[in-house]
Every structure is written in structure tokens, then in C-alpha cells.
Amino acid sequence: TLELPVLPLWASQGIEAVCVLTFFWEMSYKVTFMGQKAFFSSPAHLVQLLILVLDAAGIFVSAISANTLTFFNPLLRPMLFAAMSSRTRSALATFMRVLPSLADWAFLLLLLVGFYALLGVLLFGPPDPLLADDGPYFTSVPRALMTLTVLITTANYPDCQLPAYSLQRASFLFFASFLVVGLFFLMSMFLAEIVHSYRRQLDAEAVLAKARRDEGLAFAFKLLDFNHNGFVALKDFNVLIHRLQLPVLDTFSDEEELLPMGLHVPGPPRNLVTA
């Protein structure tokens, strides 16, 4: 723990239980506000409830048995954060949509690493007289794959090259060609494709958001145009602005509270806000 202060088990479980109860209260608030049908039709809400139930079950099991520690509770916390945060879900969804466009470049990288791994074992492996004692880098194909995967980030360079280079200067061509093709060409193209694909997804999301905004504005105008005159009276618009400036909890107020202000709606205020 690097001599950092650590909370006792009961304290950490108590804090986690308070957080879980707070999230459950938020879920109940959403059910009350949105309605059961709209709430349970959202996959994100179902995932949130599932994670909360599993987390609560882990806390309960640990509480009734002091010697039992649930291993999955720490794993659920980042999942719960991703499920509860709409921005995180949006970023993950964008990332998942970008992945298919990267498959070609990823496949080329795998081919390059695989080819050079086989070549490295043939050139620098123990059976080859070129290098009798090559160290831990090219003793087998799996080890060579790991070595070259790290080498493409230059994290183990020139360590992986020195044993072969000390015996044969020409071995420099093997590592130099791998770095030129893999690092300076394929990795650059791979990163460029990531940026381009991500930018393309953001542009598509911006177009979709604009279309939804225009649709929402058109629907809101239709709701405010009570007499179907093709325009919204300034008085009705002022009532709307006044209504939007009220506290959030006032959304659950009755329709009669709106009638003195001159805003006549066919349904409860919650339907108006939802629309």
C-alpha cells in the first residue's frame, strides 16, 4: 500500500453502501419522473440496475460474513461509473463504432509482427549458429512476438538488439527495417486512421444532434401554437420562459398551477416537459 492510510473494511463498505443507496434513490426518482415504461425501456437503465443489484449483493455478503470478500465489487465500480455517466457511454459508443475501420491496419500490424517474429527466431534463435546465446528475446515464437510488440513502441530498444548486434553487425538491418516499416509507417497510418475515423464519427453525431434539435424545435413550436395560427404569441412565450425558470422539482406540480399564468395544456405538466 506504499504506507498510505487504508480505511478499515467496515468503513469502506459503509461508504460504498451509502453510494449504492444514493444511486438507488436516483433510480427511484427517475422512475417517478419518467414513468416505468419509459424507464425500463432504456438499456442503460437496465444495466445500471443490474450493476447496482450485484454491488449491493456483494456488500451484503461481505457484511454477514466477515471472512468473505467479494472479488467482483472492485470490478463493478468502473462499470457503474461508465453506466451512470452519459458522456462516458457516448465516448465508448463512439470508440466501438470506430473499431471496424481500424481492422485493416491492425491486421497489417499483426502480419508484420508475426513475420518478423518468425524471422527473428530463425536468425537469432538458439539453434542458429549466428547467435548461440541470444538472451530472452528470440528463444521462441511467443517470446519473439512479445519482444517485437514491445519493440514497436521502442520501449525495449536497443536492449533487444544488443545481443545480436554484438555478434553480427548486419543484424542491425533486421531491427532497422522493422522499426522503419512498423513504427514510422504503419503506426503513423494507424494513428492517422484513428483520428480520421473518430473525427468522422463526431461529424456524424453532430449532424444527428442538429436533426434532433430541429425536430424538437418543430415539435415544441407545434405545442406552443395552441390555435394553429402559424405563430406563437409573445404572451405564451413569456409564460414558457417563466415556467422554465421555476425549480426543477416544480416539474411535478399540478396543471392547476399553470392555469393562472395563462398556459393551458391538454395533459399534465410532466408530459409537456417530456415532449
Short mmCIF file of all heavy atoms in Angstrom, two decimals, residues 92-115:
data_model
loop_
_atom_site.label_atom_id
_atom_site.label_comp_id
_atom_site.label_asym_id
_atom_site.label_seq_id
_atom_site.Cartn_x
_atom_site.Cartn_y
_atom_site.Cartn_z
N LEU A 92 -17.64 5.70 -25.24
CA LEU A 92 -17.44 4.27 -25.51
C LEU A 92 -18.16 3.83 -26.78
O LEU A 92 -17.62 3.04 -27.57
CB LEU A 92 -17.92 3.44 -24.32
CG LEU A 92 -17.06 3.51 -23.05
CD1 LEU A 92 -17.72 2.72 -21.93
CD2 LEU A 92 -15.66 2.98 -23.31
N ALA A 93 -19.36 4.35 -26.99
CA ALA A 93 -20.10 4.00 -28.20
C ALA A 93 -19.38 4.51 -29.44
O ALA A 93 -19.29 3.81 -30.46
CB ALA A 93 -21.52 4.57 -28.13
N THR A 94 -18.84 5.73 -29.36
CA THR A 94 -18.08 6.27 -30.49
C THR A 94 -16.84 5.43 -30.76
O THR A 94 -16.49 5.14 -31.91
CB THR A 94 -17.69 7.72 -30.21
OG1 THR A 94 -18.87 8.50 -29.98
CG2 THR A 94 -16.93 8.31 -31.38
N PHE A 95 -16.17 5.03 -29.69
CA PHE A 95 -14.97 4.19 -29.84
C PHE A 95 -15.30 2.85 -30.48
O PHE A 95 -14.56 2.36 -31.35
CB PHE A 95 -14.32 3.99 -28.48
CG PHE A 95 -13.12 3.08 -28.51
CD1 PHE A 95 -11.91 3.52 -29.03
CD2 PHE A 95 -13.20 1.79 -28.03
CE1 PHE A 95 -10.80 2.68 -29.07
CE2 PHE A 95 -12.11 0.95 -28.06
CZ PHE A 95 -10.90 1.40 -28.58
N MET A 96 -16.41 2.24 -30.08
CA MET A 96 -16.80 0.96 -30.66
C MET A 96 -17.16 1.09 -32.13
O MET A 96 -16.90 0.18 -32.93
CB MET A 96 -17.97 0.37 -29.88
CG MET A 96 -17.65 0.02 -28.43
SD MET A 96 -16.29 -1.15 -28.27
CE MET A 96 -17.01 -2.60 -29.05
N ARG A 97 -17.73 2.22 -32.52
CA ARG A 97 -18.05 2.43 -33.93
C ARG A 97 -16.80 2.70 -34.76
O ARG A 97 -16.80 2.48 -35.98
CB ARG A 97 -19.04 3.59 -34.07
CG ARG A 97 -20.46 3.25 -33.62
CD ARG A 97 -21.43 4.33 -34.06
NE ARG A 97 -21.19 5.58 -33.37
CZ ARG A 97 -21.81 5.94 -32.24
NH1 ARG A 97 -22.69 5.13 -31.69
NH2 ARG A 97 -21.55 7.10 -31.67
N VAL A 98 -15.75 3.19 -34.12
CA VAL A 98 -14.50 3.46 -34.84
C VAL A 98 -13.71 2.18 -35.09
O VAL A 98 -12.98 2.07 -36.09
CB VAL A 98 -13.66 4.49 -34.04
CG1 VAL A 98 -12.24 4.57 -34.56
CG2 VAL A 98 -14.31 5.86 -34.11
N LEU A 99 -13.85 1.19 -34.22
CA LEU A 99 -13.03 -0.02 -34.30
C LEU A 99 -13.09 -0.74 -35.65
O LEU A 99 -12.04 -1.17 -36.15
CB LEU A 99 -13.43 -0.98 -33.18
CG LEU A 99 -12.95 -0.61 -31.77
CD1 LEU A 99 -13.41 -1.66 -30.77
CD2 LEU A 99 -11.44 -0.47 -31.73
N PRO A 100 -14.27 -0.92 -36.28
CA PRO A 100 -14.26 -1.65 -37.56
C PRO A 100 -13.39 -1.01 -38.63
O PRO A 100 -12.79 -1.73 -39.45
CB PRO A 100 -15.75 -1.64 -37.97
CG PRO A 100 -16.49 -1.52 -36.69
CD PRO A 100 -15.64 -0.64 -35.83
N SER A 101 -13.30 0.30 -38.65
CA SER A 101 -12.48 0.95 -39.67
C SER A 101 -10.98 0.76 -39.43
O SER A 101 -10.17 1.03 -40.32
CB SER A 101 -12.80 2.45 -39.72
OG SER A 101 -12.51 3.07 -38.49
N LEU A 102 -10.61 0.31 -38.23
CA LEU A 102 -9.20 0.10 -37.91
C LEU A 102 -8.76 -1.34 -38.13
O LEU A 102 -7.59 -1.67 -37.92
CB LEU A 102 -8.93 0.48 -36.45
CG LEU A 102 -9.36 1.88 -36.02
CD1 LEU A 102 -9.07 2.08 -34.54
CD2 LEU A 102 -8.66 2.94 -36.84
N ALA A 103 -9.67 -2.20 -38.54
CA ALA A 103 -9.35 -3.63 -38.64
C ALA A 103 -8.27 -3.89 -39.68
O ALA A 103 -7.38 -4.73 -39.46
CB ALA A 103 -10.62 -4.42 -38.97
N ASP A 104 -8.31 -3.20 -40.81
CA ASP A 104 -7.32 -3.45 -41.87
C ASP A 104 -5.91 -3.12 -41.40
O ASP A 104 -4.97 -3.91 -41.60
CB ASP A 104 -7.67 -2.63 -43.11
CG ASP A 104 -8.98 -3.07 -43.73
OD1 ASP A 104 -9.39 -4.22 -43.47
OD2 ASP A 104 -9.60 -2.27 -44.45
N TRP A 105 -5.75 -1.95 -40.78
CA TRP A 105 -4.42 -1.56 -40.33
C TRP A 105 -3.94 -2.43 -39.18
O TRP A 105 -2.74 -2.74 -39.08
CB TRP A 105 -4.41 -0.08 -39.93
CG TRP A 105 -4.59 0.84 -41.08
CD1 TRP A 105 -5.71 1.53 -41.44
CD2 TRP A 105 -3.60 1.15 -42.08
NE1 TRP A 105 -5.49 2.26 -42.58
CE2 TRP A 105 -4.21 2.04 -42.99
CE3 TRP A 105 -2.28 0.76 -42.29
CZ2 TRP A 105 -3.52 2.56 -44.09
CZ3 TRP A 105 -1.59 1.28 -43.38
CH2 TRP A 105 -2.22 2.16 -44.27
N ALA A 106 -4.85 -2.82 -38.30
CA ALA A 106 -4.47 -3.72 -37.21
C ALA A 106 -4.02 -5.08 -37.76
O ALA A 106 -3.06 -5.68 -37.25
CB ALA A 106 -5.63 -3.89 -36.24
N PHE A 107 -4.70 -5.55 -38.80
CA PHE A 107 -4.31 -6.82 -39.41
C PHE A 107 -2.92 -6.72 -40.05
O PHE A 107 -2.11 -7.65 -39.95
CB PHE A 107 -5.34 -7.23 -40.45
CG PHE A 107 -5.06 -8.54 -41.11
CD1 PHE A 107 -5.17 -9.73 -40.40
CD2 PHE A 107 -4.69 -8.60 -42.45
CE1 PHE A 107 -4.90 -10.95 -41.00
CE2 PHE A 107 -4.42 -9.81 -43.06
CZ PHE A 107 -4.53 -10.99 -42.33
N LEU A 108 -2.62 -5.60 -40.69
CA LEU A 108 -1.29 -5.41 -41.27
C LEU A 108 -0.21 -5.38 -40.18
O LEU A 108 0.88 -5.94 -40.36
CB LEU A 108 -1.26 -4.11 -42.07
CG LEU A 108 -2.01 -4.11 -43.41
CD1 LEU A 108 -1.95 -2.75 -44.06
CD2 LEU A 108 -1.44 -5.17 -44.34
N LEU A 109 -0.51 -4.74 -39.06
CA LEU A 109 0.45 -4.73 -37.96
C LEU A 109 0.69 -6.14 -37.42
O LEU A 109 1.84 -6.52 -37.12
CB LEU A 109 -0.06 -3.82 -36.84
CG LEU A 109 0.13 -2.32 -37.03
CD1 LEU A 109 -0.56 -1.54 -35.92
CD2 LEU A 109 1.62 -1.96 -37.06
N LEU A 110 -0.37 -6.92 -37.30
CA LEU A 110 -0.21 -8.30 -36.82
C LEU A 110 0.61 -9.13 -37.80
O LEU A 110 1.46 -9.94 -37.38
CB LEU A 110 -1.59 -8.93 -36.61
CG LEU A 110 -2.41 -8.39 -35.43
CD1 LEU A 110 -3.78 -9.05 -35.40
CD2 LEU A 110 -1.68 -8.62 -34.12
N LEU A 111 0.37 -8.94 -39.09
CA LEU A 111 1.17 -9.66 -40.08
C LEU A 111 2.64 -9.28 -40.00
O LEU A 111 3.53 -10.14 -40.08
CB LEU A 111 0.63 -9.38 -41.48
CG LEU A 111 -0.65 -10.10 -41.91
CD1 LEU A 111 -1.03 -9.71 -43.33
CD2 LEU A 111 -0.49 -11.61 -41.80
N LEU A 112 2.90 -7.99 -39.84
CA LEU A 112 4.28 -7.54 -39.75
C LEU A 112 4.98 -8.13 -38.53
O LEU A 112 6.10 -8.65 -38.63
CB LEU A 112 4.33 -6.01 -39.70
CG LEU A 112 5.72 -5.40 -39.55
CD1 LEU A 112 6.51 -5.57 -40.84
CD2 LEU A 112 5.63 -3.92 -39.18
N VAL A 113 4.33 -8.05 -37.38
CA VAL A 113 4.93 -8.58 -36.15
C VAL A 113 5.12 -10.09 -36.25
O VAL A 113 6.16 -10.64 -35.85
CB VAL A 113 4.07 -8.20 -34.94
CG1 VAL A 113 4.57 -8.89 -33.67
CG2 VAL A 113 4.07 -6.69 -34.73
N GLY A 114 4.12 -10.79 -36.80
CA GLY A 114 4.25 -12.23 -36.94
C GLY A 114 5.37 -12.64 -37.88
O GLY A 114 6.14 -13.58 -37.58
N PHE A 115 5.49 -11.94 -39.01
CA PHE A 115 6.56 -12.27 -39.96
C PHE A 115 7.94 -12.03 -39.36
O PHE A 115 8.84 -12.88 -39.46
CB PHE A 115 6.37 -11.43 -41.23
CG PHE A 115 7.50 -11.55 -42.20
CD1 PHE A 115 7.63 -12.68 -43.00
CD2 PHE A 115 8.45 -10.54 -42.32
CE1 PHE A 115 8.69 -12.80 -43.90
CE2 PHE A 115 9.50 -10.65 -43.21
CZ PHE A 115 9.62 -11.78 -44.00
#
